[in-house]
Amino acid sequence: MCGVVGIVSQSPVFHQIYDALLALQHRGQDSAGMVTWDTEAEGRLRLRKGNGLVREIFEERHMQRLRGNMGVGHVRYPTAGSSSAAEAQPMYVNAPYGISLAHNGNLTNARQLEADVFKSDLRHVNTDSDSEILLNVFAHELHEVGALKPDAEHVFKALRGVYERCQGAYAAVAMINGHGIVAFRDAHGIRPLAFGVRTNADGAQEVMVASESSAVDILGFDFVRDVGPGEAIYVDLSGHYETRQCAPKADHTPCIFEHVYLAREDSIMDDISIYKARLRMGEKLVRPILERYSQREHDIDVVIPIPESSRASAIPLAYALNVKYREGFVKNRYIGRTFIMPGQDQRTKSVQQKLNAIDLEFRGKNVLLVEDSIVRGTTTEQIVRQARKAGARKVFMAVAAPPVRFPNVYGIDMPAANEFIAYNRTEAEVAKAIGVDWLVYQSIGDLVAAAAEGNRRLKRFECSVFDGEYVTGDIDEGYLDALSAVRNDRSKQRREREQTGDSTVIELYNHA
């Protein structure tokens, strides 16, 4: 899971991209990067990237060197490869023209592509990142077009070759030095991508592309729409943009986990309000709870969300149950998202630092906790212990999503399947494992309905973490076994040890 942004402006973009990356920080807290094109210095690339949060990588002295009116930015969680600073994005190749690319997603045929890039395209891939592979495929296809000064038609022609070769999920933004920015989305529209425009004080048009519409709004651009599945948008230096369908239309199947957990609530994705989708999830959670009780009688005293993405679901649920809604946990907003952290000990410690219970809201009460999803169960188990320690008489759990039982192959760094709390467990067994008196999950039908109500043109979502159905049709047991070997906790901890002290920040400036 990552966040990408690209801006073509008529004024310096470094502060704009910085603000956009802050708005997308929830999508990646492992590394951050920015590249700009400085036309005033005879065409110079300005790049800074490294491991850390946006505010840690970019200080004002760095920002002043990131000159130029066009640029690309990225925040990253390591979903393929490692968390080495060398794999921070944007990534760069110097031919043709010089291209920098930021990518959100995961190529499912990355290993075969890497071999093809070396043997057929005569290009070297220097990292384990599938993003570098995607960059080199695009660079090769653009080189094959053979234009001295590429325009929109040349770029779209190159992208048709990219779509023919690259499988999986990708929402990417690429800057072509001295020419413009192109953004494109995979043929299934799995990963999100939005764009907006604005008119500056001189009447010139400026264009922004980003992973979420909320970032577009925050920077004062007018949100136009989502980039469609298999569609690309090209923006030249003047701010003129063109869009083109570059891949044959496949079933539009956006990732349902964006609606459950990943996206900001103020974002619109594929014409669906994330906030309203989560409200509807809460409304639909009422049914499985009331099925446990006759004549709508229950012994729930209070509904308490587990901050933050479950809050919108907890409010309508409390209303429907006719019980109090209370905030029972105080969250430290400076701790990262725990389900991706490598190692059980690190996740447990982070949960303890991240949330603290307000005793008065728990003492002597039967508490219904509302969670957006449960992955490993580490966070949930620790929170249940906090609730009981705070004096809760009974602790129940309602989850706005179905059980997570299958790995994600499209850009979310979920663990090996046998590390999921719901792996080979019934609902009752999960309840016992996390320490609650009872547990209910959302059905997958209700979850899809909650999202689809916002856009009835969507007939299907990418729900593989819940149902094991991979929409690209190229995932088999061998692929999943190989993925499991990379993503299990032991492998992640080994990579962490190997990279201890690797805090390199990569810069490319004109020091003349």
Side-chain angles (χ1 to χ4, degrees):
M1 181 179 76
C2 301
V4 302
V5 59
I7 298 177
V8 175
S9 181
Q10 304 307 314
S11 59
V13 294
F14 58 88
H15 270 303
Q16 299 175 62
I17 294 176
Y18 179 86
D19 290 342
L21 293 180
L22 287 178
L24 296 171
Q25 185 76 87
H26 62 286
R27 301 189 66 85
Q29 299 169 17
D30 181 75
S31 68
M34 184 193 311
V35 61
T36 62
W37 177 248
D38 185 0
T39 55
E40 293 183 2
E42 299 179 351
R44 293 285 183 172
L45 189 75
R46 312 291 187 176
L47 169 68
R48 181 175 173 84
K49 62 179 182 176
N51 285 351
L53 300 174
V54 174
R55 68 175 186 271
E56 296 169 342
I57 300 300
F58 302 106
E59 299 177 11
E60 189 61 33
R61 59 192 175 92
H62 307 129
M63 304 284 280
Q64 295 299 331
R65 293 198 290 257
L66 289 163
R67 295 186 294 271
N69 296 350
M70 175 174 69
V72 168
H74 188 267
V75 288
R76 177 180 186 253
Y77 273 129
T79 54
S82 69
S83 58
S84 166
E87 298 191 3
Q89 298 183 40
M91 290 185 166
Y92 174 75
V93 291
N94 68 343
Y97 319 114
I99 304 173
S100 306
L101 179 137
H103 166 223
N104 174 33
N106 184 54
L107 301 182
T108 53
N109 63 335
R111 297 287 70 84
Q112 180 59 51
L113 278 174
E114 184 176 12
D116 292 344
V117 163
F118 179 74
K119 295 177 182 178
S120 301
D121 300 354
L122 304 180
R123 289 175 172 269
H124 175 71
V125 176
N126 199 48
T127 70
D128 294 327
S129 172
D130 63 328
S131 302
E132 187 182 8
I133 297 170
L134 178 62
L135 169 59
N136 275 278
V137 171
F138 174 56
H140 173 78
E141 295 299 328
L142 193 55
H143 176 80
E144 290 294 290
V145 173
L148 181 62
K149 295 182 178 181
D151 59 19
E153 292 300 324
H154 298 121
V155 173
F156 293 146
K157 182 178 180 180
L159 283 175
R160 285 193 284 272
V162 173
Y163 281 111
E164 288 175 1
R165 297 176 64 181
C166 296
Q167 300 172 14
Y170 44 94
V173 182
M175 182 178 74
I176 305 171
N177 289 356
H179 298 286
I181 281 178
V182 59
F184 54 99
R185 191 178 182 193
D186 67 81
H188 292 273
I190 298 172
R191 299 264 68 87
L193 194 62
F195 75 95
V197 300
R198 71 182 178 196
T199 303
N200 69 9
D202 297 325
Q205 182 169 271
E206 302 175 330
V207 181
M208 173 181 178
V209 183
S211 292
E212 297 191 31
S213 65
S214 55
V216 175
D217 296 336
I218 287 168
L219 266 72
F221 286 79
D222 295 323
F223 172 55
V224 176
R225 62 176 176 86
D226 297 278
V227 177
E231 185 183 32
I233 175 172
Y234 178 75
V235 190
D236 66 22
L237 291 175
S238 70
H240 171 76
Y241 75 87
E242 296 183 44
T243 63
R244 185 70 51 84
Q245 188 69 33
C246 294
K249 289 188 177 181
D251 289 338
H252 188 183
T253 51
C255 175
I256 196 75
F257 211 70
E258 293 278 357
H259 298 263
V260 171
Y261 176 76
L262 300 180
R264 283 175 54 136
E265 289 179 345
D266 53 344
S267 287
I268 305 292
M269 287 187 174
D270 299 302
D271 296 329
I272 300 170
S273 162
I274 298 298
Y275 177 68
K276 288 190 175 181
R278 290 176 184 168
L279 287 175
R280 292 190 289 266
M281 291 175 201
E283 293 169 354
K284 294 180 184 299
L285 259 179
V286 177
R287 181 184 55 79
I289 293 173
L290 294 183
E291 285 176 353
R292 305 184 67 92
Y293 300 96
S294 61
Q295 299 178 353
R296 299 177 66 89
E297 295 177 356
H298 57 75
D299 57 347
I300 301 168
D301 296 318
V302 63
V303 171
I304 294 177
I306 298 173
E308 293 186 18
S309 45
S310 62
R311 185 174 288 120
S313 297
I315 293 171
L317 178 57
Y319 179 82
L321 293 173
N322 196 29
V323 299
K324 295 177 181 178
Y325 168 90
R326 291 290 184 269
E327 294 286 343
F329 294 100
V330 175
K331 180 179 180 180
N332 183 338
R333 300 177 187 274
Y334 301 97
I335 304 294
R337 288 181 155 183
T338 53
F339 87 100
I340 282 175
M341 288 180 176
Q344 185 81 357
D345 292 342
Q346 185 176 348
R347 287 189 293 270
T348 299
K349 181 180 180 181
S350 292
V351 172
Q352 293 168 346
Q353 295 172 336
K354 185 176 183 178
L355 294 175
N356 192 44
I358 302 173
D359 290 10
L360 291 175
E361 298 299 341
F362 292 90
R363 193 173 302 143
K365 298 176 183 178
N366 296 340
V367 179
L368 175 61
L369 299 178
V370 181
E371 180 64 290
D372 52 70
S373 58
I374 303 177
V375 183
R376 291 180 177 91
T378 306
T379 301
T380 309
E381 183 182 357
Q382 292 293 319
I383 290 170
V384 171
R385 288 181 183 176
Q386 284 193 33
R388 293 199 184 278
K389 185 179 179 181
R393 186 166 58 243
K394 292 182 181 179
V395 180
F396 314 124
M397 177 74 66
V399 187
V404 175
R405 291 197 169 103
F406 303 93
N408 182 281
V409 302
Y410 299 125
I412 307 173
D413 188 26
M414 288 185 172
N418 60 7
E419 294 176 4
F420 294 129
I421 188 72
Y423 179 75
N424 282 344
R425 282 191 173 110
T426 65
E427 186 176 294
E429 289 170 336
V430 174
K432 183 178 180 180
I434 63 176
V436 295
D437 294 273
W438 55 253
L439 164 74
V440 296
Y441 281 105
Q442 186 90 269
S443 72
I444 193 165
D446 282 346
L447 174 63
V448 169
E453 188 174 326
N455 181 357
R456 298 191 183 278
R457 297 186 305 276
L458 287 172
K459 304 301 181 183
R460 186 184 177 195
F461 287 81
E462 198 291 302
C463 302
S464 58
V465 297
F466 306 122
D467 61 15
E469 297 181 11
Y470 297 96
V471 297
T472 52
D474 58 346
I475 305 302
D476 55 22
E477 287 300 318
Y479 185 98
L480 295 177
D481 288 344
L483 189 70
S484 176
V486 173
R487 288 189 178 176
N488 66 65
D489 268 350
R490 185 174 300 175
S491 295
K492 286 186 176 181
Q493 288 171 325
R494 183 178 65 251
R495 290 197 297 273
E496 286 291 312
R497 289 193 298 269
E498 291 171 353
Q499 293 158 12
T500 298
D502 182 8
S503 57
T504 305
V505 173
I506 296 171
E507 291 185 296
L508 180 57
Y509 297 129
N510 175 21
H511 294 291

